[in-house]
């Protein structure tokens, strides 16, 4: 992936996926560069570094409630010392969302490669799971690894990249996306 190192440009979205595919594709799974998830936290403002939501491929939603902390709590949190945050009502919340998270069209009983990119701006990890699915890690930071099977979740830190293979259900539930 590529990203800026100038000021808060990466936090504000100056980043993206850069996919280099293998010359000889692995035929055991569908390998489509469109199956990429770029994950980043979303902040209250450029001066208030309290995360309020998660962006997936640049799309996100603010929740009905958000975490709030004073400047000292935020500073301690960013220094790895923890921080005391309270949950408060989000004054910008609406149930009338205009942003949907990205959905990936898939076929039943098929294995797909997904590329996961941690475009995380601060030093805290994000946990990725796929509802009612296990998956296999096949690559870390663009290097192939011995496959790690049966994973239910993946912890992603700033700038980390993982490639996973997900086998879709032979009999999925109808009319609702997995989250």
């Amino acid at each position: 992936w590529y990203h800026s190192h100038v000021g808060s440009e990466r936090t504000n979205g100056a980043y993206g996926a850069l996919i280099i595919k293998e010359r000889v594709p692995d035929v055991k799974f569908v390998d489509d560069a469109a199956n990429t998830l770029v994950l980043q936290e979303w902040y209250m403002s450029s001066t208030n570094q309290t995360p309020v939501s998660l962006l997936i491929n640049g799309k996100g939603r603010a929740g009905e409630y958000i975490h709030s902390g004073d400047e000292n709590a935020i500073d301690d949190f960013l220094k790895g010392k923890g921080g005391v945050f309270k949950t408060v009502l989000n004054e910008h919340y609406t149930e009338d969302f205009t942003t949907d998270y990205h959905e990936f069209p898939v076929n039943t009983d098929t294995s797909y490669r997904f590329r996961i990119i941690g475009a995380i701006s601060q030093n805290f990890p994000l946990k990725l799971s796929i509802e009612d699915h296990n998956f296999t890690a096949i690559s870390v930071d663009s290097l192939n690894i011995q496959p790690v099977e049966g994973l239910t979740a993946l912890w992603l830190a700033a700038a980390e990249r993982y490639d996973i293979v997900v086998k879709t259900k032979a009999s999925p539930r109808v009319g609702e996306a997995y989250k």
Side-chain angles (χ1 to χ4, degrees):
W1 71 298
Y2 64 90
H3 60 276
S4 173
H5 281 265
V6 176
S8 60
E9 287 183 352
R10 182 179 69 186
T11 303
N12 293 330
Y15 63 82
L18 178 64
I19 307 298
I20 300 171
K21 296 178 89 174
E22 295 154 329
R23 285 182 189 218
V24 179
D26 193 327
V27 295
K28 293 181 275 194
F29 49 78
V30 176
D31 185 2
D32 183 348
N35 292 341
T36 300
L37 286 88
V38 181
L39 306 178
Q40 181 187 18
E41 71 279 33
W42 183 16
Y43 295 102
M44 177 67 75
S45 71
S46 60
T47 58
N48 183 342
Q49 294 292 294
T50 306
V52 295
S53 188
L54 173 68
L55 298 178
I56 302 173
N57 294 345
K59 297 178 180 180
R61 301 179 180 159
E64 184 175 0
Y65 295 93
I66 57 175
H67 297 295
S68 179
D70 64 27
E71 201 168 302
N72 290 330
I74 295 168
D75 191 49
D76 285 347
F77 176 75
L78 295 175
K79 289 178 180 176
K81 297 178 182 178
V84 178
F85 295 90
K86 57 187 174 207
T87 302
V88 298
L89 192 61
N90 180 0
E91 63 188 56
H92 303 290
Y93 175 77
T94 175
E95 290 185 12
D96 186 26
F97 292 110
T98 58
T99 303
D100 288 323
Y101 284 119
H102 190 84
E103 292 184 12
F104 298 91
V106 295
N107 295 317
T108 59
D109 200 27
T110 305
S111 294
Y112 290 87
R113 178 185 206 153
F114 284 88
R115 291 169 174 86
I116 316 298
I117 299 172
I120 301 164
S121 299
Q122 299 298 339
N123 193 22
F124 66 89
L126 297 176
K127 182 179 179 181
L128 172 77
S129 60
I130 303 169
E131 184 178 37
D132 197 29
H133 284 76
N134 292 340
F135 50 87
T136 301
I138 61 168
S139 177
V140 176
D141 290 333
S142 76
L143 299 174
N144 292 333
I145 61 170
Q146 188 72 28
V148 180
E149 299 176 350
L151 297 173
T152 58
L154 185 68
W155 283 98
L156 200 67
E160 286 186 324
R161 299 168 311 262
Y162 288 92
D163 289 15
I164 62 172
V165 175
V166 179
K167 176 137 174 121
T168 57
K169 302 283 184 184
S171 300
R173 62 183 184 214
V174 179
E176 188 178 330
Y178 288 94
K179 300 174 178 122

